[in-house]
Amino acid sequence: MNITDVRIRMLDDLGKLKAIASITIDDEFVVHDIKVIEGEKGTFIAMPSKSTSSGEFKDIAHPITSQVRDYISQKVLDKYKENIAQ
Protein backbone atom coordinates (compact mmCIF):
# COMPACT_ATOMS: atom_id res chain seq x y z
CA MET A 1 0.00 0.00 0.00
CA ASN A 2 1.29 3.43 -0.95
CA ILE A 3 -0.18 6.77 -0.01
CA THR A 4 0.01 8.61 -3.30
CA ASP A 5 -1.51 11.93 -2.23
CA VAL A 6 -2.15 13.82 1.00
CA ARG A 7 -4.29 16.94 1.12
CA ILE A 8 -4.50 19.15 4.17
CA ARG A 9 -7.15 21.74 4.95
CA MET A 10 -5.84 24.00 7.68
CA LEU A 11 -8.44 25.22 10.16
CA ASP A 12 -8.67 28.57 11.86
CA ASP A 13 -8.40 28.59 15.63
CA LEU A 14 -10.66 25.70 16.62
CA GLY A 15 -8.81 24.73 19.77
CA LYS A 16 -6.94 21.46 19.54
CA LEU A 17 -8.28 20.53 16.07
CA LYS A 18 -5.73 22.01 13.67
CA ALA A 19 -6.48 20.50 10.25
CA ILE A 20 -8.49 17.96 8.28
CA ALA A 21 -6.67 15.60 5.91
CA SER A 22 -7.58 13.35 3.01
CA ILE A 23 -5.30 10.60 1.78
CA THR A 24 -5.29 8.74 -1.53
CA ILE A 25 -4.10 5.15 -1.49
CA ASP A 26 -2.49 3.70 -4.64
CA ASP A 27 -4.20 6.39 -6.77
CA GLU A 28 -7.41 4.37 -6.32
CA PHE A 29 -9.00 4.88 -2.89
CA VAL A 30 -9.56 8.02 -0.83
CA VAL A 31 -10.10 8.44 2.90
CA HIS A 32 -11.48 11.84 3.96
CA ASP A 33 -11.89 13.53 7.34
CA ILE A 34 -8.70 12.45 9.08
CA LYS A 35 -8.28 14.93 11.92
CA VAL A 36 -4.96 16.52 12.91
CA ILE A 37 -5.08 17.26 16.63
CA GLU A 38 -2.65 19.09 18.89
CA GLY A 39 -2.54 17.14 22.16
CA GLU A 40 -0.61 17.52 25.38
CA LYS A 41 2.02 15.03 24.16
CA GLY A 42 2.27 16.40 20.62
CA THR A 43 0.40 16.37 17.35
CA PHE A 44 -1.45 13.22 16.29
CA ILE A 45 -4.12 12.06 13.86
CA ALA A 46 -7.59 10.66 14.49
CA MET A 47 -9.24 8.52 11.85
CA PRO A 48 -12.72 9.39 10.51
CA SER A 49 -15.41 8.52 13.04
CA LYS A 50 -19.11 8.83 13.76
CA SER A 51 -21.10 9.22 16.93
CA THR A 52 -23.14 6.25 18.14
CA SER A 53 -26.51 6.49 19.86
CA SER A 54 -24.73 6.13 23.22
CA GLY A 55 -22.50 9.14 22.48
CA GLU A 56 -19.36 7.13 21.80
CA PHE A 57 -17.27 7.72 18.69
CA LYS A 58 -16.43 4.74 16.48
CA ASP A 59 -13.88 4.85 13.66
CA ILE A 60 -15.45 4.51 10.22
CA ALA A 61 -12.18 3.58 8.54
CA HIS A 62 -8.96 2.61 10.26
CA PRO A 63 -5.73 0.67 9.73
CA ILE A 64 -5.60 -2.89 11.00
CA THR A 65 -1.92 -2.92 11.99
CA SER A 66 0.16 -0.47 13.98
CA GLN A 67 2.68 -0.41 11.11
CA VAL A 68 0.06 0.95 8.70
CA ARG A 69 -1.26 3.38 11.34
CA ASP A 70 2.27 4.72 11.82
CA TYR A 71 2.74 5.04 8.04
CA ILE A 72 -0.49 7.00 7.59
CA SER A 73 0.26 9.17 10.61
CA GLN A 74 3.76 10.01 9.37
CA LYS A 75 2.58 10.93 5.86
CA VAL A 76 -0.26 13.15 7.16
CA LEU A 77 1.84 14.86 9.83
CA ASP A 78 4.70 15.49 7.38
CA LYS A 79 2.28 17.23 5.01
CA TYR A 80 0.74 19.16 7.92
CA LYS A 81 4.20 20.41 8.96
CA GLU A 82 4.90 21.47 5.35
CA ASN A 83 1.72 23.57 5.43
CA ILE A 84 2.72 25.22 8.71
CA ALA A 85 6.12 26.15 7.29
CA GLN A 86 4.61 27.98 4.30
Side-chain angles (χ1 to χ4, degrees):
M1 176 191 94
N2 290 309
I3 296 176
T4 51
D5 189 32
V6 178
R7 296 180 187 223
I8 300 286
R9 182 172 45 116
M10 302 297 285
L11 301 175
D12 293 328
D13 189 24
L14 291 178
K16 294 181 179 190
L17 181 60
K18 300 301 181 186
I20 302 293
S22 296
I23 60 171
T24 303
I25 301 169
D26 293 328
D27 288 323
E28 296 182 0
F29 189 82
V30 176
V31 178
H32 295 291
D33 296 329
I34 299 171
K35 297 168 197 73
V36 178
I37 300 169
E38 185 69 43
E40 291 180 14
K41 296 180 181 179
T43 307
F44 64 95
I45 66 166
M47 297 304 290
S49 61
K50 68 176 183 173
S51 178
T52 65
S53 60
S54 64
E56 290 181 286
F57 282 91
K58 296 283 186 176
D59 286 349
I60 296 169
H62 59 88
I64 300 297
T65 67
S66 60
Q67 180 182 6
V68 173
R69 179 175 290 278
D70 292 345
Y71 174 62
I72 292 170
S73 181
Q74 190 63 51
K75 293 291 256 185
V76 169
L77 293 177
D78 285 351
K79 189 69 167 188
Y80 171 72
K81 290 172 187 172
E82 282 179 29
N83 276 269
I84 290 174
Q86 293 178 355

